[in-house]
Amino acid sequence: MALSGGAADRGSHSMDKSITLPPDEIFRNLENAKRFAIDIVAKVRSFDHSAKETDGDPLYEISVQEEITARLHFIKFENAYIETCLDFIKDHLVNTETKVIKATVDKEDEMTCLIKGCNFVLKNIPHEAFVYAKHADSEFRFQNTHPDIFPYLLINIGSGVSIVKVEAEDKFERIGGSSIGGGTFWGLGALLTKTKRFDELLQLASKGQHTNVDMLVKDIYGGAYGSLGLTGDLIASSFGKSATTDKEFSKEDMAKSLLHMISNDIGQLACLYAKLHNLTRVYFGGFFIRGHPVTMHTITYSINFFTKGEVQALFLRHEGYLGAIGAFLKGAEEDNPNQYSWEENYAGSSGLMSASPELNPVQRARSGTFDMLEMDRLDRQLVNLPLLQDPTSYIPDTVDLTEDALAREYWLYCFEDALDGVVKRAIASQKDQPEAVERAEKFRQKYRHKVQTLRHQPFAYGSLTVRSLLDTREHCLNEFNFPDPYSKIKQKENDMALKYYLKFGFEQAKQQLQERPWLVDAYNQWIERLKLSSVLTGNSGPALNDVTNSELQILTERIAAMDPVIHAALKEDRLALVQNGSSSPCLDLSRLDKVLATVVRERGTDLVIIEGMGRAIHTNYYAMLSCESLKLAVIKNSWLAERLGGKIFSVVFKYEVPSKAQGQH
Amino acid sequence: MALSGGAADRGSHSMDKSITLPPDEIFRNLENAKRFAIDIVAKVRSFDHSAKETDGDPLYEISVQEEITARLHFIKFENAYIETCLDFIKDHLVNTETKVIKATVDKEDEMTCLIKGCNFVLKNIPHEAFVYAKHADSEFRFQNTHPDIFPYLLINIGSGVSIVKVEAEDKFERIGGSSIGGGTFWGLGALLTKTKRFDELLQLASKGQHTNVDMLVKDIYGGAYGSLGLTGDLIASSFGKSATTDKEFSKEDMAKSLLHMISNDIGQLACLYAKLHNLTRVYFGGFFIRGHPVTMHTITYSINFFTKGEVQALFLRHEGYLGAIGAFLKGAEEDNPNQYSWEENYAGSSGLMSASPELNPVQRARSGTFDMLEMDRLDRQLVNLPLLQDPTSYIPDTVDLTEDALAREYWLYCFEDALDGVVKRAIASQKDQPEAVERAEKFRQKYRHKVQTLRHQPFAYGSLTVRSLLDTREHCLNEFNFPDPYSKIKQKENDMALKYYLKFGFEQAKQQLQERPWLVDAYNQWIERLKLSSVLTGNSGPALNDVTNSELQILTERIAAMDPVIHAALKEDRLALVQNGSSSPCLDLSRLDKVLATVVRERGTDLVIIEGMGRAIHTNYYAMLSCESLKLAVIKNSWLAERLGGKIFSVVFKYEVPSKAQGQH
């Protein structure tokens, strides 16, 4: 069961947005639920500096204010808690005007909701889909979301199986189905093993040997059946051995055989429908799948077997929420939710595999019962940078930490090690608020728990990257109302920089740099082609000490007042300032503000400069653009510098010119 | 298990070819088994009449002689009797030079044998394939064999399921399969019901209510799921109710649910593979099917459901023999068995559904255990008459007695009623052999038993027709060595006719006919177009008192000696005598002697005259030819005459001219 509602109204009652288990506290959180939540955000506002320059005044004013934002908050819990939940709804939520609770869905709409939800997560959550490989180094291989998610096949394995072809946002068809599904595993399993719980049946299955129950090809032919291309280990007949043998079969073996039987069958049906309809993207969902490694493995195995690798079985991280998300979207159609972009909130979402019976069984008993997903609605629609050479193959992140164990170990350690500093920074940023210490402590606990979870389940939020670690930290800071811990430092430093703007010359600045040649050095080529007409883009929201677009606006104005070159450029519109839609120290070029994309296209941009470790090293280092590009950074981390073959504070100046053929792509 | 061997060598030891149950007698029959059997046949031989006409001498001589013919004899029995069988083989058959026993097949050849056998029965046994319709007037709808049997899909449901695409005699591919097959029904069924016997499980299933165990669409949604096109009664989840309910489920209900689950699954797979490979002919076989009405019904239902009627599930009457037939054909490849045509021997074959657990359960205990199939190899290859307008839609028989209950009742009565006369005739034909009485009595019992079986199981040998009743009688007569009971009568009558040939004029003969207009009268049109150059064709073997080709040869020669018109025609080859390949009082124009077909093609035949009730009324009355045709008969049966709207001895003179468009077909 899933409930969709808004996030907590933390502005009025409490600054604590954390959702703490167990159930009574979960439901307490619902009390504040409404579709539109109020967040605490930090804003900057310029003073009027036109009259005279006042030395003592700060450059701009920082205000913390409440802002209405849209957040979807989904909680998934076992039916055992349904009464607790309903009681709570009755006592607290009924007749509350502004709150929207969608707990049931009209029967005609169930499939529609499922598809709407599926489209939503595929469009809005990067690394939503993954390939499962039990025995590979990384158990989960996350797929970059294709810009056009259609057409695809959805195999929903609930009690039975529905096979649905989805061709467009509102165009889908149930092209097939089967009565042999999760209910069959559960029902037959219960009859055979007297075990009534689905998860227990799966656990039995994970311990069993199907070969004790199934008749294999080699049991019939003594080996492979070569002329037909059948290997000896292939199951010739599920439960075939129990037809003629009188012996007792173990519960584990029978459960395993049943699991194989059902998974193989669904796998074959899926392949046949995919082939018949010429579809290569096949997603599996429903309670039979829902993150269970055993079923994902058997389904994957079956798909590989039947398609000889031509089709991959894809699973969804948020598969369990599709129906609820779809129900919300359907209910909120007057708000036209599809016109916005959304983002998974790592602080409010419990992540993949928290319910896995195999991993962290202790944790399972707690958080497996309640899974959560929070989706933030962004103010603006995010789209691809039009200059990406091949949007379908673009991967923002340079290193996938789920695949690189060494790098993962380092970065997790690094982020945990830096936590004290971040906590101190957060407290220092809100000195006037005494309870900030308590909130900062909660932030520490939450983020440390996230890092520890990621150590054991690196795939919990899709591909683990430096970017996702940074974003998770930002989300957790926001969760405890530290929207911009660096705001005052930035304010002070910007102020200082402005003051020294005229004194501190460009040549002087250059001398501070490492002596050339740099670690990567294409400076000369770059100088060759410089020309003017620029779009300067900053983050839409705060992240670390990175400049935001609002700050940039104020700063540029002030510089223009001092510097005739900048003044002329602004006036003649040769210099434009546009926000990028991001609130991360990193940059995902497939999720940029639509306005920025329009400006880039209209101005015929022929050079992209990406600056900073987060944007040019951790992300986009390998991004291929269809125009020239510069990726600039100083490596401020000795481990990373060493890994790249340099030393700390090495300079990266990467200049790339696309080949002609690729440029026309 | 199936054994293939030759028929009994009845010439030397006994005139009794009947196989009597129980087992000890079955196996006794094996003693005489070899691939080539010796049959008693009746032959005619002309005397030398060239010198002078001797009034007292008969026209020709009749001799009964032994002739080596090829016959396949398959016995199917339960494994319980395997030792009896093997003992017998050891004691009687081993080291007997001329005998061939194929009891096992190399594993690599199993599928090859199956396909060879399938091709064989499809090509050689008319009405081999049928559609099953449990609730229709006629449970079985037999399919006319398409002249080109390829390509087709064979779904073999043994322990598991093999899905094989067959494109030519030696070209097939296993394109799919499933581990959910008969072994799964048996194995899971045994675990759920503690019933170890497959047939008992099927009987349980036939009494159960799957809706008690399965979760239906309406159990979930309260009714149909209209928007997805799912009816309320559709199974949403097999065994879905046992997942959450604590109640006990009956063995019958569980077995039924299991049967539905497996049948539906196979049905869907079959449909998908048929669609993917663009195949419309889908045959089902294997021990899961093997004539069981319950499984044929569920498979048919499933195919209809999944293809919305586009593909029909076809079953084979001799499905259980495919492997054994294939093994024989493989072993006999030096004899090139595919160059011959073969014919099911109705006397030696036990027919469909003798093993049905639902029908005649008493009989089942006896003959269900032992099923038999005898196939006679014909001397000549049979092909379509080249003048058939559309060989694919040609149906030899005018009335299908499996569909026409009234006609069936009449004809079964009629044939039973005539039995005394036939027995008398048989005895009279072998007055010199005292044991003929005993043999004739055995013939009576056998044929009466066949008729009685057909009364309850009209579909036992495919479509029941007057032709098949006549052929069965001929086969039974042959079985007890009455190869031509009318030979002496024919001899006498021919003799008489020849003597009166010159005295009894044509005009005189015409006066014996019913006064015109006849029941069907196109005599005038016919006279208009008469011209000469004829092929006269008679039966290859004896049937009732019909003239055989051998007799015709002698008669024509004798007439030519008297009649200059005939003499000239023979001499100038304007009159040719060619046998038709048939030994039936009826005529199947799709199984004619290849030589006749060649002569017809070479001479550019533009008129076909079919004469006699058996050939022009019971069969071919509606046959559409691409040239002009005459169908002539005197209705010698008052019931039939009345049915056609006439009286006994009514004349039928049907003259048909094909329409231009059809003629070019």
Side-chain angles (χ1 to χ4, degrees):
Chain A
M1 152 139 205
L3 277 182
S4 71
D9 176 355
R10 289 138 304 193
S12 43
H13 300 297
S14 147
M15 292 288 269
D16 185 335
K17 302 188 217 170
S18 157
I19 290 166
T20 320
L21 306 165
D24 52 329
E25 301 201 23
I26 287 241
F27 291 120
R28 193 162 55 82
N29 192 59
L30 276 176
E31 191 169 5
N32 302 312
K34 44 186 178 176
R35 192 186 300 158
F36 291 91
I38 291 176
D39 265 328
I40 304 296
V41 295
K43 293 264 177 187
V44 294
R45 193 165 58 90
S46 180
F47 293 113
D48 183 9
H49 295 271
S50 60
K52 58 170 177 111
E53 211 161 311
T54 37
D55 232 44
D57 283 1
L59 180 62
Y60 49 77
E61 183 190 60
I62 301 163
S63 68
V64 170
Q65 60 189 70
E66 290 186 344
E67 195 168 81
I68 291 173
T69 57
R71 178 170 296 161
L72 291 176
H73 193 126
F74 299 94
I75 305 173
K76 218 170 49 169
F77 53 87
E78 289 200 352
N79 283 345
Y81 296 103
I82 186 88
E83 289 197 20
T84 320
C85 170
L86 290 176
D87 286 349
F88 183 89
I89 291 172
K90 203 185 78 194
D91 294 348
H92 296 82
L93 297 173
V94 174
N95 294 325
T96 308
E97 199 86 23
T98 57
K99 289 164 187 176
V100 174
I101 297 282
K102 297 239 156 225
T104 60
V105 182
D106 290 343
K107 65 172 186 174
E108 266 80 18
D109 295 324
E110 187 177 314
M111 189 59 77
T112 308
C113 289
L114 198 68
I115 304 299
K116 269 185 190 295
C118 192
N119 293 341
F120 181 86
V121 298
L122 285 174
K123 275 190 304 191
N124 290 293
I125 309 187
H127 303 132
E128 173 61 27
F130 61 88
V131 166
Y132 184 78
K134 189 181 172 187
H135 301 297
D137 284 345
S138 55
E139 202 175 356
F140 301 85
R141 268 192 297 127
F142 290 90
Q143 305 291 297
N144 235 46
T145 308
H146 194 281
D148 186 7
I149 62 168
F150 305 109
Y152 66 85
L153 201 60
L154 177 65
I155 317 283
N156 191 58
I157 317 174
S159 300
V161 181
S162 279
I163 298 174
V164 185
K165 178 165 98 172
V166 186
E167 287 180 283
E169 188 60 55
D170 289 308
K171 191 180 173 201
F172 70 87
E173 187 192 355
R174 186 186 189 274
I175 55 174
S178 166
S179 72
I180 305 181
T184 312
F185 177 73
W186 200 346
L188 266 178
L191 290 172
L192 292 172
T193 68
K194 313 292 170 209
T195 307
K196 281 280 172 194
R197 286 174 57 94
F198 182 76
D199 285 358
E200 279 175 30
L201 278 168
L202 278 185
Q203 275 183 305
L204 283 177
S206 68
K207 292 177 209 149
Q209 280 294 330
H210 76 98
T211 52
N212 293 335
V213 184
D214 292 343
M215 191 175 280
L216 308 185
V217 166
K218 68 181 172 198
D219 293 325
I220 303 175
Y221 299 104
Y225 194 150
S227 63
L228 293 184
L230 307 177
T231 61
D233 284 329
L234 193 75
I235 305 173
S237 176
S238 293
F239 287 88
K241 280 184 183 152
S242 61
T244 45
T245 321
D246 263 331
K247 70 169 207 172
E248 283 281 308
F249 296 95
S250 83
K251 290 179 177 187
E252 288 82 0
D253 293 349
M254 290 190 291
K256 182 61 164 275
S257 173
L258 195 58
L259 179 69
H260 273 293
M261 178 184 104
I262 292 170
S263 301
N264 286 335
D265 189 53
I266 297 171
Q268 177 159 217
L269 287 175
C271 291
L272 288 169
Y273 278 105
K275 274 189 203 164
L276 257 180
H277 293 265
N278 215 12
L279 299 168
T280 50
R281 277 171 282 176
V282 183
Y283 301 103
F284 287 84
F287 79 74
F288 185 70
I289 298 291
R290 204 138 298 167
H292 297 297
V294 200
T295 58
M296 288 194 291
H297 173 64
T298 50
I299 287 282
T300 299
Y301 182 89
S302 165
I303 292 282
N304 287 342
F305 175 82
F306 286 111
T307 68
K308 300 179 183 83
E310 278 171 41
V311 173
Q312 282 190 316
L314 295 168
F315 304 96
L316 300 174
R317 280 204 292 136
H318 299 101
E319 182 280 317
Y321 300 93
L322 303 187
I325 292 175
F328 165 77
L329 293 174
K330 219 174 136 54
E333 261 163 5
E334 70 272 23
D335 295 332
N336 197 3
N338 272 319
Q339 75 178 318
Y340 301 101
S341 287
W342 299 72
E343 185 176 63
E344 181 176 11
N345 187 308
Y346 294 138
S349 301
S350 49
L352 185 67
M353 300 303 295
S354 54
S356 158
E358 286 190 341
L359 296 163
N360 289 347
V362 180
Q363 184 192 356
R364 189 193 155 266
R366 292 181 64 233
S367 77
T369 313
F370 293 89
D371 273 315
M372 279 166 297
L373 167 64
E374 268 187 30
M375 293 291 295
D376 292 339
R377 195 182 82 185
L378 305 177
D379 291 336
R380 39 194 64 80
Q381 210 173 335
L382 302 185
V383 297
N384 275 314
L385 174 68
L387 296 169
L388 281 178
Q389 213 172 77
D390 176 17
T392 65
S393 67
Y394 168 72
I395 297 167
D397 303 291
T398 306
V399 178
D400 184 344
L401 301 182
T402 58
E403 289 178 0
D404 188 333
L406 222 62
R408 178 169 73 241
E409 205 178 318
Y410 170 73
W411 286 110
L412 288 172
Y413 160 79
C414 186
F415 275 86
E416 209 170 354
D417 190 50
L419 195 48
D420 279 348
V422 178
V423 168
K424 271 185 203 152
R425 180 91 298 284
I427 295 169
S429 74
Q430 296 182 2
K431 274 188 205 137
D432 51 337
Q433 299 191 36
E435 94 293 356
V437 177
E438 194 189 325
R439 276 190 283 118
E441 195 48 47
K442 283 186 176 173
F443 155 74
R444 182 211 299 278
Q445 281 167 25
K446 179 136 196 171
Y447 189 63
R448 182 185 287 143
H449 180 257
K450 292 272 172 197
V451 170
Q452 282 164 353
T453 302
L454 288 167
R455 191 165 276 132
H456 296 108
Q457 301 167 29
F459 37 73
Y461 297 91
S463 288
L464 181 64
T465 60
V466 174
R467 178 166 64 104
S468 72
L469 285 166
L470 284 165
D471 288 353
T472 306
R473 194 164 69 186
E474 295 296 329
H475 292 173
C476 288
L477 281 167
N478 272 316
E479 172 80 10
F480 295 97
N481 285 315
F482 295 107
D484 193 358
Y486 285 86
S487 57
K488 280 175 191 152
I489 290 182
K490 285 190 286 180
Q491 186 191 34
K492 207 171 136 191
E493 287 179 352
N494 284 333
D495 202 27
M496 193 82 82
L498 262 192
K499 275 178 190 139
Y500 286 92
Y501 181 76
L502 293 174
K503 295 165 199 158
F504 181 84
F506 188 58
E507 288 307 316
Q508 220 175 331
K510 267 170 70 175
Q511 280 163 29
Q512 302 295 318
L513 289 177
Q514 181 193 29
E515 209 176 318
R516 290 182 67 189
W518 299 327
L519 181 57
V520 177
D521 192 339
Y523 183 68
N524 292 345
Q525 290 100 301
W526 153 238
I527 285 297
E528 291 296 301
R529 76 164 301 289
L530 247 189
K531 74 177 182 187
L532 262 170
S533 169
S534 306
V535 180
L536 201 55
T537 176
N539 268 10
S540 299
L544 284 178
N545 61 347
D546 292 351
V547 70
T548 64
N549 189 60
S550 325
E551 292 159 355
L552 207 52
Q553 294 275 3
I554 296 166
L555 284 168
T556 314
E557 241 171 69
R558 293 297 301 281
I559 291 169
M562 296 183 275
D563 185 333
V565 177
I566 301 294
H567 185 266
L570 275 178
K571 201 173 172 186
E572 292 156 24
D573 201 28
R574 283 185 288 113
L575 176 61
L577 270 65
V578 185
Q579 59 187 323
N580 61 20
S582 168
S583 303
S584 164
C586 293
L587 190 61
D588 180 349
L589 296 180
S590 66
R591 284 169 69 86
L592 290 185
D593 193 318
K594 200 177 182 177
V595 174
L596 176 59
T598 309
V599 170
V600 161
R601 205 180 287 109
E602 282 173 358
R603 298 211 166 196
T605 300
D606 57 0
L607 171 70
V608 172
I609 305 172
I610 305 172
E611 191 272 333
M613 256 177 71
R615 295 175 183 81
I617 306 290
H618 294 319
T619 55
N620 299 311
Y621 194 69
Y622 299 119
M624 309 267 275
L625 300 184
S626 57
C627 67
E628 288 166 82
S629 64
L630 273 180
K631 294 162 186 171
L632 314 177
V634 170
I635 314 283
K636 292 175 286 185
N637 172 299
S638 59
W639 182 89
L640 184 61
E642 243 171 80
R643 211 175 212 236
L644 292 170
K647 283 179 181 168
I648 191 155
F649 303 128
S650 286
V651 171
V652 169
F653 192 100
K654 200 176 183 193
Y655 172 50
E656 288 161 309
V657 182
S659 72
K660 286 270 150 58
Q662 290 172 311
Q664 296 180 337
H665 192 71
Chain B
M1 150 135 207
L3 277 182
S4 71
D9 176 357
R10 288 136 306 191
S12 42
H13 301 294
S14 148
M15 291 289 269
D16 185 338
K17 299 189 220 171
S18 155
I19 289 166
T20 320
L21 305 168
D24 54 326
E25 301 201 23
I26 285 238
F27 292 119
R28 193 162 54 83
N29 191 60
L30 276 177
E31 191 168 7
N32 302 312
K34 43 188 177 175
R35 191 185 301 156
F36 292 90
I38 292 175
D39 265 330
I40 304 297
V41 295
K43 293 264 177 187
V44 294
R45 191 166 60 88
S46 180
F47 294 111
D48 182 11
H49 296 272
S50 58
K52 58 174 177 109
E53 214 162 309
T54 37
D55 234 42
D57 283 359
L59 178 62
Y60 49 78
E61 185 190 57
I62 300 164
S63 68
V64 171
Q65 60 189 69
E66 289 185 347
E67 196 169 80
I68 291 173
T69 57
R71 178 170 296 161
L72 290 177
H73 193 125
F74 299 95
I75 304 173
K76 215 169 49 168
F77 53 88
E78 289 198 354
N79 283 345
Y81 296 103
I82 186 87
E83 287 198 20
T84 320
C85 170
L86 290 176
D87 286 349
F88 184 90
I89 291 172
K90 204 186 78 192
D91 295 347
H92 296 83
L93 297 173
V94 174
N95 294 326
T96 309
E97 199 86 24
T98 57
K99 288 163 186 176
V100 174
I101 297 282
K102 297 235 159 231
T104 59
V105 183
D106 289 343
K107 64 172 186 176
E108 268 79 18
D109 294 324
E110 187 177 313
M111 189 60 77
T112 308
C113 290
L114 197 69
I115 303 298
K116 272 187 188 295
C118 191
N119 293 341
F120 181 86
V121 298
L122 285 174
K123 274 189 305 191
N124 290 293
I125 309 186
H127 302 133
E128 174 61 28
F130 61 87
V131 166
Y132 185 78
K134 188 180 173 188
H135 301 296
D137 285 346
S138 55
E139 202 175 354
F140 301 84
R141 267 190 300 125
F142 290 89
Q143 305 290 298
N144 235 46
T145 308
H146 194 280
D148 186 5
I149 62 167
F150 305 108
Y152 66 84
L153 201 60
L154 177 65
I155 318 283
N156 192 58
I157 316 175
S159 300
V161 181
S162 279
I163 299 174
V164 185
K165 178 164 98 172
V166 187
E167 287 180 283
E169 188 61 55
D170 289 308
K171 191 179 173 200
F172 69 87
E173 187 192 355
R174 185 187 190 273
I175 55 173
S178 166
S179 72
I180 306 181
T184 312
F185 177 72
W186 200 346
L188 266 179
L191 290 172
L192 292 173
T193 68
K194 313 292 169 208
T195 307
K196 281 279 172 194
R197 286 173 58 92
F198 182 77
D199 285 358
E200 279 174 30
L201 278 169
L202 278 184
Q203 274 183 305
L204 282 178
S206 68
K207 292 176 208 148
Q209 280 294 330
H210 76 97
T211 51
N212 293 335
V213 185
D214 292 343
M215 191 176 282
L216 308 185
V217 167
K218 68 182 171 197
D219 293 324
I220 302 175
Y221 298 104
Y225 193 150
S227 64
L228 294 184
L230 307 175
T231 61
D233 284 331
L234 193 75
I235 305 173
S237 176
S238 292
F239 287 88
K241 279 183 184 153
S242 61
T244 45
T245 320
D246 263 330
K247 70 170 209 173
E248 283 281 308
F249 296 96
S250 83
K251 291 179 177 188
E252 289 82 358
D253 293 348
M254 289 189 292
K256 182 62 164 275
S257 173
L258 194 60
L259 179 70
H260 273 292
M261 179 183 103
I262 293 170
S263 301
N264 285 335
D265 189 53
I266 297 170
Q268 176 158 218
L269 287 175
C271 291
L272 288 170
Y273 278 106
K275 273 190 205 164
L276 256 180
H277 293 265
N278 214 13
L279 299 168
T280 50
R281 277 170 285 175
V282 183
Y283 301 103
F284 287 84
F287 79 72
F288 185 70
I289 298 292
R290 205 138 297 167
H292 296 296
V294 200
T295 59
M296 288 194 291
H297 173 63
T298 50
I299 287 283
T300 299
Y301 183 90
S302 165
I303 292 283
N304 287 343
F305 175 82
F306 286 111
T307 68
K308 300 180 182 81
E310 277 171 39
V311 173
Q312 282 189 317
L314 295 168
F315 304 96
L316 300 173
R317 281 204 290 137
H318 299 101
E319 182 280 317
Y321 300 93
L322 303 188
I325 292 174
F328 165 78
L329 293 173
K330 217 172 138 56
E333 260 164 5
E334 69 272 24
D335 295 332
N336 197 1
N338 273 318
Q339 75 179 316
Y340 301 101
S341 287
W342 298 73
E343 184 176 63
E344 181 176 10
N345 187 308
Y346 294 138
S349 302
S350 49
L352 183 67
M353 301 302 295
S354 54
S356 157
E358 285 190 342
L359 297 162
N360 290 348
V362 180
Q363 185 192 356
R364 189 195 155 267
R366 292 182 62 232
S367 74
T369 313
F370 295 87
D371 272 317
M372 281 166 295
L373 166 65
E374 269 188 29
M375 293 290 296
D376 291 341
R377 195 183 82 185
L378 305 177
D379 292 336
R380 39 194 63 80
Q381 211 175 335
L382 303 184
V383 298
N384 275 315
L385 174 68
L387 296 168
L388 280 179
Q389 214 172 75
D390 176 19
T392 65
S393 67
Y394 168 71
I395 297 167
D397 304 291
T398 307
V399 179
D400 184 344
L401 300 182
T402 58
E403 288 178 1
D404 188 332
L406 221 65
R408 177 170 74 242
E409 203 178 321
Y410 170 73
W411 286 111
L412 287 173
Y413 161 80
C414 185
F415 275 86
E416 208 170 355
D417 191 50
L419 195 48
D420 279 348
V422 178
V423 169
K424 272 186 200 149
R425 181 89 300 283
I427 296 168
S429 74
Q430 296 182 1
K431 272 187 206 136
D432 51 339
Q433 299 189 36
E435 94 293 356
V437 178
E438 196 189 324
R439 277 189 284 116
E441 195 47 46
K442 284 186 177 173
F443 154 74
R444 182 211 300 277
Q445 280 167 25
K446 178 135 197 171
Y447 188 62
R448 183 186 285 142
H449 180 256
K450 291 272 174 198
V451 170
Q452 281 164 353
T453 301
L454 288 167
R455 191 165 277 132
H456 297 107
Q457 301 166 30
F459 36 74
Y461 297 91
S463 287
L464 181 64
T465 60
V466 173
R467 178 167 64 104
S468 73
L469 284 166
L470 285 165
D471 288 353
T472 304
R473 194 165 69 187
E474 295 297 329
H475 292 174
C476 289
L477 281 166
N478 272 316
E479 173 79 12
F480 295 97
N481 286 314
F482 296 106
D484 193 359
Y486 285 87
S487 57
K488 281 175 188 151
I489 290 180
K490 284 190 286 179
Q491 184 190 38
K492 209 171 134 190
E493 286 179 351
N494 284 330
D495 203 27
M496 192 81 85
L498 262 192
K499 275 177 189 142
Y500 285 92
Y501 180 80
L502 293 173
K503 296 165 198 159
F504 180 85
F506 188 59
E507 288 306 316
Q508 221 173 332
K510 268 171 67 178
Q511 282 163 25
Q512 303 296 318
L513 291 177
Q514 180 194 29
E515 208 176 319
R516 290 184 64 192
W518 298 326
L519 179 57
V520 177
D521 192 339
Y523 184 69
N524 293 345
Q525 291 99 301
W526 154 239
I527 286 295
E528 292 295 301
R529 77 164 301 289
L530 248 190
K531 75 178 183 188
L532 263 169
S533 168
S534 306
V535 180
L536 202 55
T537 178
N539 268 9
S540 299
L544 283 178
N545 60 348
D546 291 351
V547 71
T548 64
N549 188 60
S550 326
E551 292 160 355
L552 207 54
Q553 293 274 5
I554 298 167
L555 284 168
T556 313
E557 241 171 67
R558 297 295 303 279
I559 290 169
M562 296 184 278
D563 186 333
V565 178
I566 300 295
H567 186 265
L570 275 179
K571 201 173 174 185
E572 294 156 23
D573 201 28
R574 282 184 289 111
L575 177 61
L577 271 64
V578 185
Q579 59 186 324
N580 62 20
S582 168
S583 303
S584 164
C586 294
L587 190 62
D588 180 349
L589 296 180
S590 66
R591 284 169 69 84
L592 290 184
D593 193 317
K594 200 175 181 178
V595 174
L596 176 59
T598 307
V599 170
V600 160
R601 206 180 286 112
E602 282 174 357
R603 298 209 167 199
T605 301
D606 58 0
L607 172 70
V608 173
I609 306 173
I610 304 172
E611 191 273 332
M613 255 177 74
R615 295 175 185 80
I617 305 291
H618 293 318
T619 55
N620 300 311
Y621 193 69
Y622 299 118
M624 309 267 275
L625 300 185
S626 57
C627 67
E628 289 167 83
S629 64
L630 273 178
K631 294 161 187 171
L632 315 176
V634 171
I635 314 282
K636 292 174 287 186
N637 171 299
S638 59
W639 183 89
L640 182 62
E642 241 171 82
R643 213 175 208 237
L644 292 170
K647 283 180 180 165
I648 192 156
F649 303 129
S650 286
V651 171
V652 169
F653 191 98
K654 201 176 182 193
Y655 171 51
E656 288 160 308
V657 182
S659 72
K660 286 270 150 61
Q662 289 173 311
Q664 296 180 338
H665 192 72

